Amino acid sequence: MKTKSHLLLYLSLFAQVSAHPLPPGPGVTTKFIRIDQFGYLPASKKIAIIVDPQTGYNAAESFSPGTGANQYQVRNWNSDAVVYSGTLIVWNGGNTHAQSGDKGWKFDFSSLTATGSYYIYDVARNVGSYRFEINNNVYNDVLKHATRTFFYQRVNFAKQPPYTDAKWADGAAFGGPNQDYAARSRWDKTNAATAKDLHGGWFDAGDYNKYTTFTLAPLCTFLETYRMHPTYFSDNYNIPESGNGIPDLLDEVKYEIDWLKRMQDASGTNGLFLKVGVDNFNAVSPPSGDNNPRYYVPECTSSTLTGCAVFALGSTVYKSLGIAAMTTYGNDLLTRSINAWNRAKVTTSNFNTFQTTCDDQNIKSGDADQGVASQKDMVVTAAAYLFEATGSSEYKNCFDTMYSKSQPYSSNWWGPYYPAVERALLRYTKIAAATVTVANNIKNQKANQNGVLSINDYNNQIDLYRSSMPDAQYHWGSNQVKANAGLDNFDFVTFTINTAQSNTYKEAGESYLHWFHGVNPMGKVMLSNMYAYGGDSCVNEFYHSWFNNGTAWDNVFTSLYGPPPGYVPGGPNKDFSIPSMTPPGGQPPQKSYKEWNTGWNGTANENSWEITEPAIYYQAAYISLLARVMATALTNPLPLHSISIAAERNGPTVQLTWEVDHADESKFFEVERSVDGIRFTRIGQVDAAMNITRYNITDNAADPGNILYYRIKETGLQDEVHYSSIIKIAATIDKDNLSAYPNPVLEQLVLSGYADENGLLELRIFDVSGQLIGFQKWMQSKGNYSRHIPVGHLSKGIYWVQVSNKEKSMQVKISKL
């Protein structure tokens, strides 16, 4: 934990008297300098917000910053050296920001890109901010622990060391009689013959129930985010599946999808059951001690359509891994999606009538029903992904007929409430066989959405905290809306819409992330217990049946254990149902927040779940936003298509594997071989497949006695040509050699080495003083590999390039011209 306590302040004053060196950082820390408490990527826009509260629960507090020339500084945390000076810019002429109740100033230090630990210092007031970092991996731990919350949300799965700290350990929950392995029908609770095996999946939120329809947004969000940026999710998050060659995010998604498969199997019709849970509010902490019987709500059109869409998208993503077992898994998902589609055609009379009253909420507590408009969105989503996966005209024709009925398109408002269908609409535009006029209609409508929580608001600086949302959006679950707004900005970039404004979309989208990390009216990181990973003022308690009020997991500071790291609460809610409770009632919208977890206080309900309860859909939206910021914020001088190549010799054969950064933008690949590294001959061709990024071919005519060279020639959709780096295969394998060419290097370094197994490789670049100045990671196939590394941004000098996996580390010295 990096905050300065009263004790540290006392020690600082004592040190001055005793002539001992001062501790690092500012002597006095103020919470009114709002920064991303984890830090910033080097190329990011970096703006601190300095605030003076005027209205709301903290109106009695005040802060008057130094507004003179160069009275704000960025200082090195350890040396206290001033590395940047600047002058505050007042927000909106000094007016109060009504939505937060604060006056404010901004301090822009974006030009500071050097890796290091820093704080903001107010010269006039002699106070500083919390510590923050600038480096390329500043959010790695944040992403890991935010994702690990899904491990804690697993139902019927023990959480035990070494996969968790002992203080958050628990046995497998809901595996007893009449529970998830033998859940009974809500409509026939006493009849053992209705029992179904519905184990697995995640707790939906702070309750222990499981809702099929509520999985659509998080699962589609995760699957799409992974396929956009696969190298940003590693296989080392310390869950039981870590190290299996599959990114841990996809292992978690699979745990939920496997439960959806059981919900389909149990129906006997290829439809999906709607819900599994209890019929009371008597949850027990920890979950393993809860013996409440569990019941299911049978099939509904909305749950069947949910499964159809998720299975179709999951099929494409898991097959793209290039792992035989996952290809089989993906094929099974595709069959399930088609079967669910055919079932839905029957139950909806060819998508004309939809069931909307399947859930009477006897099984508590969320209403899993979906309205007609939402179910039409599901049809469009499923059709897009089934068409992508199969190329069948049935799904294409359905999509072309119904896309204009989807909520974002029919309303011409691509707001933050339709994440699954919005991404499906945009994904359709990337399918080569899509109807051109339909694809253009979709892209053109998205291109006209700059006024929807996007760059118009950003450029006009209408929000002091730089993450614009109207008052109406600060409702129950507003943090999901906030994250989705950020994601909607990144969609312009990912799907190449309004490309001249790409950098502005990135800046706007990233500003929503900084809101979660402390640039908000509460000055609070909107994740639980992140003190060990860079947070200074974090969520300390939130509503969850496991981490409930009065339990050992109640509060980070006042209970025995506190909750685990990384959970995202619901967020400010101006519509809180008990307005007389202030806060969160009676506040400006962005301050309609209170950190507590009390339900019943002995005399009345306090309904803390309306503010602080987490949910899998809030969590997924935040994780997706974080990953997309990480993946797009760095300047990357590589070509549009970067091709990573690996080769493994086995006597007279060579197995070649290559991977491209962008799926769906290639026609075919030609594999070329050379004996001298200069003159290449084509030895084979592989056609590109929709959404597949990894390919392979075997050269059966490789001379086992000679050195051989290979490269991949890629032809894109517009007949543009890109080449991979050249990979050299010696007659004997050298597993312990890392080489770099050219060396000295000006712009592009070709790095060659050997990977002992399929898995994650991490590259770090250090300067001569040992300071980390560059970081990159990727999933690498076993064998010799060759990869382009951009180094044009580095200053002239000597550097060490280090490549590591979980077993070993190698390095090579380079000279940058």
Side-chain angles (χ1 to χ4, degrees), residues 150 154 202 218-220 222-223 247-259 310 314 318 329:
F150 285 88
R154 290 188 188 186
W202 299 320
L219 290 179
C220 288
F222 274 154
L223 290 166
D248 286 345
L249 177 76
L250 294 187
D251 285 319
E252 281 298 346
V253 168
K254 183 176 181 296
Y255 193 80
E256 182 81 341
I257 289 179
D258 286 347
W259 168 67
V310 169
Y318 284 99
Y329 185 76

Side-chain angles (χ1 to χ4, degrees), residues 469-480:
M469 290 203 318
D471 290 358
Q473 267 66 67
Y474 287 96
H475 50 61
W476 193 337
S478 66
N479 275 346
Q480 181 186 12

Side-chain angles (χ1 to χ4, degrees), residues 26 111 132 157 235 286 305 357 446 508 532 564 597 645 670 788-789 801:
S111 60
F132 62 89
F157 198 100
D235 190 24
L305 288 168
T357 57
K446 174 65 176 177
N597 59 11
I645 182 172
E670 295 170 88
H788 283 112
I789 306 297
V801 178

Side-chain angles (χ1 to χ4, degrees), residues 196-198 258-273 311 332 336 339:
K196 303 290 183 182
D197 180 2
L198 302 175
D258 286 347
W259 168 67
L260 292 180
K261 289 167 60 176
R262 297 183 191 101
M263 296 291 273
Q264 183 180 43
D265 292 341
S267 73
T269 64
N270 289 316
L272 276 81
F273 284 175
F311 292 155
D332 174 64
R336 289 175 175 277
N339 290 341

Side-chain angles (χ1 to χ4, degrees), residues 55-70:
T55 62
Y57 65 86
N58 60 347
E61 302 174 352
S62 65
F63 183 68
S64 180
T67 56
N70 292 323

